[in-house]
Amino acid sequence: MSAVNTRPGTPAPAPARRDAEATKAAILRAARYLLARHAHADITLKDVAERAGVSAPLILKYFGNKDSLFARVMSFDTDAAALLDAPLEDLGRHMVRHVLESQRDRGADPLLRIAFAPLHGDHGDVLRANFRAHVVDALAARLTGPDPGLRAELAVAQLIGLGVMYGIARGPRLRDRAATDVTDIADRYGPALQAQLTP
């Protein structure tokens, strides 16, 4: 039996403190996960809290209320920044890798939230507007040449199709290959996107 040091004047160890930023990120991940699978009206703060491993009052502390939390979740700005973070000449391959790695490593593709916009009533309109502004319009702003808006929409449509096949239809050959070699899929699919980006 080992002795416990109880010398007088020795302070008790402080309880472990929660990392606020990590906790906020976990809450946002949980809310995104649920929003991609359920209607906004059907999701409770308790659902989010259970998925994030926190208490519902902690969500209120960090985000105020359910609407404020989901306003953050319905924003695509951070996700779009990561999706578009590559030189234009290699953007198609990068976008493919980003979508597949998000699905494989995190179990969710932030872009696919748009596929569920019809489930969210009026909140779906917010989701659509944010998607257009943060993803499609941001991509179009980077393109040169004719019809940048149309080309951006076509490229994003191809990318969402890939995400649907991987994450929703769960194509077994695509999933097996992406599990072992995302680069191969990016090499095969990236040029089709790139044709819209740099025609």
Side-chain angles (χ1 to χ4, degrees), residues 11-20:
R17 293 195 55 174
R18 187 179 290 275
D19 178 340

Side-chain angles (χ1 to χ4, degrees), residues 32 72 74-83 113 130 133-135:
R32 282 188 187 107
R72 287 277 301 276
M74 289 183 183
S75 172
F76 288 88
D77 57 350
T78 302
D79 302 318
L83 177 70
R113 288 179 283 152
N130 288 343
H134 299 150
V135 179

Side-chain angles (χ1 to χ4, degrees), residues 139-163:
L139 176 58
R142 292 195 55 194
L143 305 182
T144 59
D147 298 319
L150 175 61
R151 289 170 29 228
E153 287 183 2
L154 291 170
V156 170
Q158 289 174 278
L159 198 60
I160 290 174
L162 177 66

Side-chain angles (χ1 to χ4, degrees), residues 43-109:
I43 302 168
T44 66
L45 285 180
K46 182 180 178 202
D47 297 331
V48 178
E50 286 176 0
R51 176 129 194 112
V54 301
S55 67
L58 191 61
I59 295 175
L60 294 174
K61 174 184 174 186
Y62 287 141
F63 295 97
N65 58 36
K66 178 181 169 182
D67 286 340
S68 296
L69 170 63
F70 280 96
R72 287 277 301 276
V73 170
M74 289 183 183
S75 172
F76 288 88
D77 57 350
T78 302
D79 302 318
L83 177 70
L84 303 177
D85 186 24
L88 186 57
E89 62 273 9
D90 192 43
L91 190 55
R93 290 180 77 255
H94 169 79
M95 291 168 77
V96 170
R97 289 182 66 87
H98 179 78
V99 165
L100 294 177
E101 288 171 351
S102 294
Q103 290 269 10
R104 184 192 68 195
D105 300 342
R106 296 185 292 165
D109 170 13

